[in-house]
Structure formats: C-alpha cells, structure tokens
C-alpha cells in the first residue's frame, strides 16, 4: 500500500511530501530541514528526489539528501538555471544559499516514473516558474506552487497567463474529487477550487 506523509519545512513553511511504497520511498520538494527529512526516511531506501520547481524553498535539502542516500534528483530542464543561483532561485528571500547539485534526470510532460510499486505521472505546469511540474499519483496531484487552496502561486516573478493556462489544463484533466497537494498550506480538491478559487471565476 502506498502512503503519503507531509512535513512542513523551512522558513517559508514548505510542504515536503514523502511517498512510501513497500520497498522504497520518494521525497517531493525537500525544501529544508535535512535532518528531519532524513530521520523520516533513513530506514527505507530513498529511490528519488522529485522537485516541482527550482525555487530555494523547495530544494534546499536536495543536495544533502542526494549525498546521504545516493538518490537521483529529478526536475524539469526549464528550472536548471536556478540551481546555485541566489537570484533566480529566490534564495535571497530566505537569506540562504542552497548547496548546488547536479540534476540527474530531466523530466518531461507525459513521463511516467516508476519506483518499485510507486508510479507517478509528470505534467509540465509552467507559470510560477518555467520548469514547474506536477507529479500525479493515482487521484492525487502534487502541484508545487502552481495552485493553492483558494489561491494560486505567485506570478510576479513568473508568467501569469502561462500559470493560468497550466491551472486550467489541470482543472480540465482530472475529476473534481482529485486531491491537490500544494507546496504550501492545506490540501484541496479540483472540485473545491472550481467552486471557490477567485482566480478561476
């Protein structure tokens, strides 16, 4: 049975998700607090580190996790330039400099990632950042900072029109009961956002 656990990490209270299968686990957006994350996964093989995008608060612990476990880092090529760049990664907002790393796998829209019994689809959902992606696990979408409960991700350093286009594609691609697990705040559903998100009216 596949289980998902959320832990909130770092100064911007980023949601880091741990997806557990029978023989391995996957971490989505290790934004900070390496020790806390590692304590959660140290007794199981970490198969992959998945980044929804390249902003600092979603990848601060990625390099340490990779070093400690040997797990590969997955991200979209569109955000590659953010690695090690305090300006593009917005690290200056957190008064920090994430340890640079090499991405091992660049995902593309439509990819299917398999880690033991864990199977996840990849959707390229740009707007908040050029390389923003969402990871789909059954009826759950880990959507990073694309959309939040009754709000959307910041677009002042992204592209508003592109972000809204990505959100609308997401809304139209899945049933209303699909669970959305964002990069910050509480989870929601596609149906709830269609009804109550002011940006979708």
């Amino acid at each position: 049975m596949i289980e998902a656990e959320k832990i909130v990490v770092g100064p911007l209270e980023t949601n880091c998700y741990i997806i557990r299968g029978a023989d391995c686990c996957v971490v989505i957006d290790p934004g900070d607090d390496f020790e806390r994350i590692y304590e959660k996964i140290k007794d199981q093989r970490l198969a992959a580190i998945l980044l929804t995008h390249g902003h600092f608060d979603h990848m601060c612990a990625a390099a340490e996790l990779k070093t400690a476990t040997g797990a590969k880092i997955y991200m979209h090529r569109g955000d590659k330039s953010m690695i090690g760049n305090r300006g593009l990664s917005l690290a200056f907002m957190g008064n920090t400099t994430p340890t640079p790393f090499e991405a091992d796998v660049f995902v593309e829209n439509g990819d299917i990632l398999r880690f033991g019994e864990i199977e996840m689809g990849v959707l390229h959902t740009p707007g908040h950042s050029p390389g923003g992606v969402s990871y789909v696990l059954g009826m759950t979408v880990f959507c990073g900072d694309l959309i939040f409960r009754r709000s959307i991700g910041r677009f002042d350093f992204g592209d508003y029109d592109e972000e809204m286009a990505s959100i609308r594609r997401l809304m139209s691609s899945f049933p209303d009961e699909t669970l959305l697990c964002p990069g910050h705040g509480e989870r929601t559903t596609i149906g709830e956002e269609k009804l109550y998100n002011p940006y979708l009216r």
Side-chain angles (χ1 to χ4, degrees):
M1 181 177 179
I2 298 173
E3 299 178 346
E5 178 182 3
K6 180 183 84 173
I7 55 176
V8 180
V9 299
L12 299 188
E13 297 186 331
T14 302
N15 293 336
C16 170
Y17 297 96
I18 301 171
I19 315 301
R20 302 182 189 280
D23 59 352
C24 67
C25 65
V26 172
V27 170
I28 301 176
D29 286 353
D32 206 346
D33 297 338
F34 162 74
E35 292 82 3
R36 284 185 60 213
I37 298 170
Y38 185 72
E39 185 66 26
K40 293 277 188 179
I41 59 97
K42 67 179 182 180
D43 295 328
Q44 194 173 28
R45 180 176 68 88
L46 180 62
I49 301 162
L50 308 182
L51 304 181
T52 60
H53 62 292
H55 291 154
F56 82 100
D57 55 316
H58 291 257
M59 64 176 185
C60 265
E64 289 177 284
L65 268 183
K66 179 179 179 177
T67 298
T69 66
K72 292 182 178 180
I73 297 176
Y74 292 64
M75 69 183 301
H76 192 277
R77 190 180 301 273
D79 283 1
K80 179 182 178 181
S81 60
M82 296 182 182
I83 301 172
N85 187 311
R86 294 189 81 246
L88 293 177
S89 71
L90 308 181
F92 63 91
M93 295 175 61
N95 194 29
T96 185
T97 303
T99 302
F101 56 83
E102 292 290 333
D104 301 287
V105 180
F106 291 112
V107 298
E108 298 290 347
N109 187 68
D111 284 353
I112 303 296
L113 309 178
R114 295 181 176 88
F115 311 104
E117 66 179 327
I118 301 171
E119 181 174 296
M120 308 185 80
V122 178
L123 299 176
H124 183 208
T125 48
H128 179 69
S129 73
V133 295
S134 298
Y135 297 100
V136 183
L137 177 68
M139 292 288 288
T140 301
V141 180
F142 299 90
C143 52
D145 289 359
L146 176 69
I147 185 170
F148 302 130
R149 184 173 184 268
R150 305 189 185 186
S151 187
I152 64 173
R154 288 182 63 171
F155 47 82
D156 50 329
F157 36 65
D159 186 307
Y160 174 78
D161 291 336
E162 194 171 47
E163 184 166 342
M164 291 307 302
S166 291
I167 291 171
R168 292 192 180 99
R169 283 197 304 272
L170 183 66
M171 295 291 107
S172 64
S173 298
F174 298 94
D176 285 356
E177 60 268 27
T178 302
L179 190 65
L180 299 178
C181 294
H184 304 272
E186 297 304 313
R187 66 185 188 179
T188 184
T189 66
I190 284 181
E192 179 176 347
E193 296 316 299
K194 286 179 179 178
L195 286 173
Y196 301 114
N197 194 313
Y199 289 91
L200 298 179
R201 293 176 182 171

